[in-house]
């Protein structure tokens, strides 16, 4: 269930709004066409493509924000210069104005490391107005960001926003201020409310350097989203994969982008848009995407009554065709066990087993990641191994999520 981000009443939110703001109409910017701005005069004029460093998949979430500053913490999977961030109003019903956006490096909680909080501009302006259904990329941010760093993005919202584009289960603390603009402050004292959702921010990208070859997108549901981990733990299987790839040779170093939505289904919109409908936006349009790992379908099985794997196989084939048309590789991940979960039945288990056999043997994917084999109980393969079970018999423990990351062959990426 979604949670209100702020306990101020709507009337109080309206009273907190101060004055008119500059409006800057923005045309939609497509990530796949982005390149970094030219280098300063005297440097090489070569324009470098961008590579995704962080992302989250968005939906319309229940929240009321306005007349305050939102401060979010995200972790960059790769570093580089010329970083840009993207603000999305894709699921909004009215324009949203952002003022005085800043990005810095986290010291602790809402506090920012001294000297790192930098203003972010949009077409050289500090204010940007994003129409409903659109998203906007920032200008390049001066300096470099380090791979693995915890970035703090602060957004001042001068007006009340009811239809919020965001991510419901961030498993990360977001800090919300009392009324006013606190974006430029390094101190966290002005932030008196917290949430575990992300708002509006959905991408960060950096210039591709010699040590970064592109990005891999993990496309999935709650197991990818991070269910089972503690808030602020950063122990998603994609976090463990990021750590592994950081120690690879430069030819295999990649950005790792998490496009999971808890409860998401491949074929039907339920929690979030269906996998079929969001695949282009959340995976294929990411800057520098080279490979997508498709690890989705267990919610379709656990909540459906399929008697054949054909609908799910068709869904996978459709994703593969879309990716191959854009020269993006697709790896298929087998679906992990859920015996003991409330909706498990022998009939659904048979569909999971048959679908996993098809993923392994059909040859339609560019490679297979056998996540099922990595975490199942060898003596009872219908269920998770005890050490890999978070306790609900579907979601994974920290050890289980690490086992998924360890099951990824970097050569396939």
């Amino acid at each position: 269930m979604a949670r209100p981000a702020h306990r101020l009443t709507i009337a109080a939110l309206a009273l907190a709004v101060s004055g008119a703001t500059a409006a800057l109409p923005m045309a939609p910017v497509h990530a796949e066409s982005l390149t970094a701005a030219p280098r300063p005069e005297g440097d090489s004029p070569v324009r470098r493509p961008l590579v995704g460093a962080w992302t989250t998949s968005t939906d319309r979430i229940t929240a009321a924000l306005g007349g305050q500053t939102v401060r979010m913490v995200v972790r960059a999977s790769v570093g580089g210069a010329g970083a840009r961030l993207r603000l999305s109003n894709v699921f909004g019903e009215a324009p949203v104005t952002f003022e005085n956006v800043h990005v810095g490096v986290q010291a602790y909680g809402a506090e920012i490391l001294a000297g790192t909080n930098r203003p972010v501009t949009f077409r050289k302006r500090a204010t940007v107005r994003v129409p409903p259904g659109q998203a906007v990329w920032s200008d390049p941010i001066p300096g470099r960001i380090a791979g693995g760093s915890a970035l703090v993005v602060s957004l001042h919202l001068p007006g009340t926003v009811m239809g919020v584009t965001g991510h419901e289960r961030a498993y990360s603390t977001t800090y919300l201020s009392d009324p006013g603009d606190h974006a430029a402050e390094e101190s966290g004292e002005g932030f008196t409310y917290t949430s575990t959702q992300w708002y509006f921010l959905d991408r960060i990208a950096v210039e591709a350097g010699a040590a970064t070859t592109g990005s891999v997108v993990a496309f999935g549901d709650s197991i990818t989203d991070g269910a089972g981990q503690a808030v602020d733990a950063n122990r998603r299987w994609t976090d463990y994969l990021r750590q592994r790839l950081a120690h690879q040779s430069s030819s295999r170093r990649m950005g790792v982008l998490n496009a999971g939505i808890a409860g998401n289904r491949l074929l039907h919109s339920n929690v979030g848009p269906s996998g079929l409908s969001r695949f282009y936006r959340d995976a294929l349009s990411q800057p520098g995407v080279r490979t997508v790992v498709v690890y989705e379908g267990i919610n379709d099985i656990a909540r459906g009554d399929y008697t054949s794997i054909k609908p799910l196989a068709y869904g996978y084939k459709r994703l593969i065709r879309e990716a191959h048309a854009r020269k993006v590789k697709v790896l298929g991940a087998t679906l992990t066990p859920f015996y003991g979960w409330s909706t498990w039945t022998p009939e659904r288990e048979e569909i999971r087993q048959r679908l996993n056999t098809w993923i392994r043997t059909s040859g339609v994917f560019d490679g297979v990641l056998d996540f099922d084999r990595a975490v199942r109980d060898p003596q009872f393969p219908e269920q998770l191994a005890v050490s890999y079970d978070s306790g609900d018999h579907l979601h994974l423990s920290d050890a289980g999520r690490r086992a998924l990351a360890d099951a990824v062959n970097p050569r396939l990426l």
Side-chain angles (χ1 to χ4, degrees), residues 42-125:
D43 288 355
S44 168
V46 174
R47 293 168 63 87
R48 295 178 179 174
L50 294 185
V51 168
W54 175 86
T55 198
T56 192
S57 294
T58 57
D59 191 10
R60 180 170 176 150
I61 60 175
T62 302
L65 301 168
Q68 64 191 135
T69 305
V70 176
R71 179 163 284 182
M72 296 166 287
V73 182
V74 301
R75 194 167 294 272
S77 61
V78 290
R84 297 187 185 193
L85 58 83
R86 194 176 86 154
L87 302 179
S88 175
N89 190 26
V90 167
F91 294 95
E93 295 181 351
V96 178
T97 297
F98 302 95
E99 286 186 344
N100 203 21
V101 178
H102 277 65
V103 61
V105 178
Q106 185 185 37
Y108 178 79
E111 184 177 343
I112 294 173
L113 195 65
T116 66
N117 204 22
R118 297 171 182 167
V120 178
T121 60
F122 300 82
R123 294 187 180 176
K124 300 184 179 179
R125 299 189 186 188

Side-chain angles (χ1 to χ4, degrees), residues 1 34 55 65 80 129 141 180 226 253 322 336 402:
M1 180 180 293
L34 278 174
T55 198
L65 301 168
R129 181 175 180 268
I141 301 165
R253 203 166 299 160
E322 290 183 27
T336 44
R402 184 186 290 275

Side-chain angles (χ1 to χ4, degrees), residues 320-392:
I320 293 166
R321 285 196 301 270
E322 290 183 27
H324 286 176
R326 294 166 176 84
K327 303 187 186 308
V328 174
K329 183 188 299 185
V330 182
L331 304 181
T334 52
L335 302 181
T336 44
F338 71 113
Y339 176 85
W341 180 254
S342 60
T343 62
W344 185 94
T345 65
E347 293 77 17
R348 287 168 173 159
E349 176 63 20
E350 182 183 1
I351 292 295
R352 185 185 73 91
Q353 295 283 4
R354 288 165 57 191
L355 188 62
N356 279 348
T357 298
W358 181 85
I359 291 171
R360 294 182 182 108
T361 62
S362 66
V364 300
F365 292 98
D366 299 297
V368 174
L369 305 179
D370 204 338
F371 286 174
D372 171 49
R373 186 182 299 275
V375 297
R376 71 192 183 194
D377 185 334
Q379 304 304 316
F380 187 19
E382 293 85 355
Q383 72 178 14
L384 294 168
V386 172
S387 62
Y388 294 154
D389 190 341
S390 69
D392 66 11

